[in-house]
Amino acid sequence: MEHPKNKTNLHFKWQPALFLLVLLTVYFALGFQNIVRERPQSVHQWAQCDRASVAMVMHKEGISFSKPQTHNIENSTGITGMEFPFVNACAATLYNVFGPYEALYRLIILAFVTVGLLAAYMFTFDITGNALTAGLIVLLFFLSPVLVYYTPNFIPDSPSMALILVFWLFFLRYLKQPSWGLLFLLGIIGLLASLIKISSLLSIITALCIVLLALAGQLKKHVSLNRKFSYGAIGVLLFIGMSTYGWYSYAAWLNAVYHSDVFIMHAPIVTNPNKIGELFTIAMDEWGYQYYSTPVHILWGLLAIACIALWKKLTALWD
């Protein structure tokens, strides 16, 4: 079966560039050119300031991954455990070159998200073979109030999400045309994404399940992995998981040794029934519309139903 990509009028190599142009237009329509000049503010202002603080200390005192510091010196040193401070180090590096302008930090996050959305467009186009469909899906995904707010920001969730989208681009292509070079790339990208935000491990676990299913012979029509490349992928994905666990264990140890609570390195477990009910109410009343409006939630639901109903036709695209 001919891949639908080959039926498009516009050559594939120009489509990512066109999508990027559309994306930049959307950025200007959203006012990102003004937002990047702003100081940390609004929701999670304290968390924004803490991340910006780590970058500023790295700029002034030197980049240290093993003992990140903030200007909060209630513990006398400012040393604290946190997510792997890769983004902070990138900002500090630019500060060293251009000066400590916080706009550079916001631009770094924006660059990460842009690369991630471009990767999402590319693997969506690989699957659908239609440039317009791929573009609309990715733009619908991006135009969530929460994601738009945190895109030119100081919080690590956005760059981690962006990197995991790049991971999926490499992983899906690895399933079709495995190579050690591609495995190395998806390993590095997946590791960085998980170290920057541990929630990205959900994608790593999902990818591991896919490889295990392929190894068990359940995905013969859609995956071209032999045993050698399957075992290689399993090894890389397990390494990502163990390395991420190691870093966050170390970060929790740093917090304990240096008596820091700037960044919480554990998941708070709620057991009080009243508190659970309160959180559920907040999730229903506030978080829902912060992610998408009601019509968009309905649209996502209808699309999910359509995917289930048309499952055989959709999977045939990858046969």
Side-chain angles (χ1 to χ4, degrees):
M1 179 179 178
E2 184 185 13
H3 193 285
K5 180 196 302 184
N6 298 328
K7 300 177 182 179
T8 56
N9 296 323
L10 189 62
H11 197 285
F12 174 68
K13 70 178 182 180
W14 295 110
Q15 290 172 1
L18 180 60
F19 174 75
L20 183 60
L21 180 61
V22 172
L23 192 58
L24 293 176
T25 303
V26 171
Y27 288 169
F28 275 97
L30 292 170
F32 282 4
Q33 69 276 14
N34 299 318
I35 295 172
V36 293
R37 305 170 188 170
E38 300 291 342
R39 305 295 307 278
Q41 59 183 281
S42 190
V43 180
H44 280 170
Q45 184 179 32
W46 62 270
Q48 298 176 51
C49 291
D50 287 334
R51 268 75 182 196
S53 178
V54 172
M56 186 63 73
V57 172
M58 285 182 169
H59 164 61
K60 292 183 177 296
E61 306 294 335
I63 295 175
S64 172
F65 291 101
S66 60
K67 291 183 178 180
Q69 293 176 271
T70 70
H71 290 91
N72 184 333
I73 55 172
E74 289 181 346
N75 64 353
S76 77
T77 64
I79 295 174
T80 183
M82 63 180 298
E83 69 273 355
F84 189 67
F86 177 75
V87 178
N88 315 76
C90 290
T93 301
L94 290 186
Y95 289 175
N96 292 339
V97 177
F98 300 104
Y101 303 109
E102 288 171 347
L104 294 173
Y105 203 126
R106 288 187 183 271
L107 287 172
I108 287 172
I109 304 294
L110 182 59
F112 270 105
V113 174
T114 301
V115 171
L117 293 174
L118 187 59
Y121 170 81
M122 293 174 71
F123 70 66
T124 305
F125 179 77
D126 283 347
I127 296 170
T128 65
N130 186 284
L132 180 60
T133 300
L136 289 176
I137 289 173
V138 176
L139 286 177
L140 182 60
F141 164 75
F142 169 65
L143 290 173
S144 160
V146 167
L147 183 52
V148 168
Y149 172 74
Y150 284 114
T151 289
N153 211 299
F154 300 83
I155 304 297
D157 302 61
S158 298
S160 176
M161 178 214 69
L163 287 170
I164 212 65
L165 290 174
V166 178
F167 166 86
W168 278 111
L169 172 66
F170 290 146
F171 180 74
L172 292 173
R173 292 188 174 182
Y174 179 79
L175 293 178
K176 283 295 186 181
Q177 294 181 317
S179 70
W180 296 118
L182 203 53
L183 182 60
F184 175 79
L185 281 176
L186 70 87
I188 294 296
I189 297 298
L191 179 60
L192 269 179
S194 301
L195 289 174
I196 292 173
K197 198 68 180 180
I198 196 170
S199 54
S200 286
L201 274 183
L202 292 172
S203 284
I204 304 302
I205 294 170
T206 302
L208 179 60
C209 291
I210 291 173
V211 175
L212 291 174
L213 286 172
L215 190 60
Q218 300 299 309
L219 302 174
K220 290 181 179 180
K221 291 184 178 180
H222 311 291
V223 175
S224 302
L225 296 182
N226 57 28
R227 286 189 173 272
K228 178 178 65 175
F229 283 114
S230 294
Y231 289 139
I234 290 171
V236 167
L237 295 171
L238 288 176
F239 173 77
I240 291 174
M242 290 185 294
S243 299
T244 303
Y245 174 79
W247 173 263
Y248 280 91
S249 297
Y250 171 71
W253 176 82
L254 272 182
N255 271 354
V257 170
Y258 289 95
H259 308 289
S260 174
D261 60 358
V262 175
F263 301 102
I264 300 175
M265 288 294 106
H266 64 276
I269 300 175
V270 180
T271 57
N272 185 310
N274 293 330
K275 187 65 175 178
I276 293 174
E278 179 184 338
L279 291 175
F280 180 78
T281 300
I282 293 174
M284 296 300 293
D285 293 345
E286 297 182 19
W287 294 351
Y289 75 83
Q290 289 176 358
Y291 280 90
Y292 290 105
S293 64
T294 299
V296 178
H297 280 298
I298 294 172
L299 176 60
W300 282 124
L302 292 174
L303 289 173
I305 294 171
C307 286
I308 295 172
L310 302 172
W311 180 253
K312 289 186 178 181
K313 291 184 178 180
L314 292 174
T315 54
L317 294 175
W318 269 49
D319 284 349

